[in-house]
Amino acid sequence: MTTTNKWLNDEARWQAVVERDKSADGYFVYGVRSSLIYCHPSAAGRLPNRNNIEFFDNEQQALAKGYRPGKRSNKQAPQLEQFYQQKIAQACRYIEQNNGNAKLDEIAAFVGISRYHFHRLFKNLIGLTPKSYAIAYRHGKLQRQLQQQPSITDAIYDAGFSSNSRFYETSTERLGMTPTAWKAGGDGSRIYFALAACSLGDILVAQSEVGVCAILLGDDPERLLQDLQDKFPQAELIGGDHQFEHVVAQVIGFIEAPEIGLKLPLDIRGTAFQQRVWQALRAIPVGTTVSYSDIAKQIGDPKAVRAVAGACAANMLAVAIPCHRVVRNDGSLSGYRWGIARKRSLLDKESLNK
């Protein structure tokens, strides 16, 4: 159930402060001019003089005006973080229910947060802007619809695109190929690949017209190639030339020395949820680990721990999307698509180069 923001004017906000209304926490804060401290509506203590306070839509505004948090504000931080995560989770569901076509003002009003604060909060928690999340959701839905609908046009409209032209502006970039090729399992698209060896065993690197679309690790080159064929059953797979060997060398160099970074364009394909998870993974610093629960909280969906693990398992871009940096809550190593031994080896390399 969505809570409506009833505290849009100073009079309503003051009344919430007088009543120590906990339901108003998260919707605004007030600053006390004499102490330069800001508080949440339910803060205990002596009621300040009405003429000595000013209201702010959020904590960032109060901080920008030179206020600092009071003791109770610090104690409330975990509860407020959960409050904001719930709001952003509601926003994600609203975007999905409207096929990604809801406007920013509508979404912000739905969750009861000011437009500016909502946009900033959404990006901080999800890693994408509301618009980028909506686009990713529509394209993820389109990928499923292309496999189900007999007509590409029907699939485009069922996925929430308002017109063919609007979709085709970004279709090749998002799908890595034309919609017709995607529907045919990659028919007509070209994917260059190469097999090599590194300290982790065998490695396959593949690149589409958009960027690197697969980095696979294993002990059997034929199995790696089969995995690539299963992903793009109708694509034209072409063995890489000498120029492509430079791409492979960069990937292997990144594995051996992760601190150098990987400066290659990526072709990241997945559902809107998977892309949220993968975006969060790419923000984990080298030499750092987080738990599945941490990632679920970061993307605004704390209960989606299993789904986060599923997104990690579906990752086709080893090391570029560093799912090896995700561990159990107690710090022990959990499953890894390319084997626990490789996960441990990658973390050891990063720890040494931290």
Side-chain angles (χ1 to χ4, degrees), residues 141-154:
K141 187 174 182 180
L142 175 72
Q143 291 174 12
R144 297 188 295 273
Q145 293 294 333
L146 283 173
Q147 301 301 326
Q148 298 171 6
Q149 294 286 359
S151 164
I152 290 178
T153 299
D154 290 343

Side-chain angles (χ1 to χ4, degrees), residues 8-21:
L8 297 175
N9 58 63
D10 288 358
E11 182 178 351
R13 290 177 173 183
W14 171 245
Q15 189 60 37
V17 172
V18 172
E19 297 174 358
R20 318 287 194 194
D21 189 349

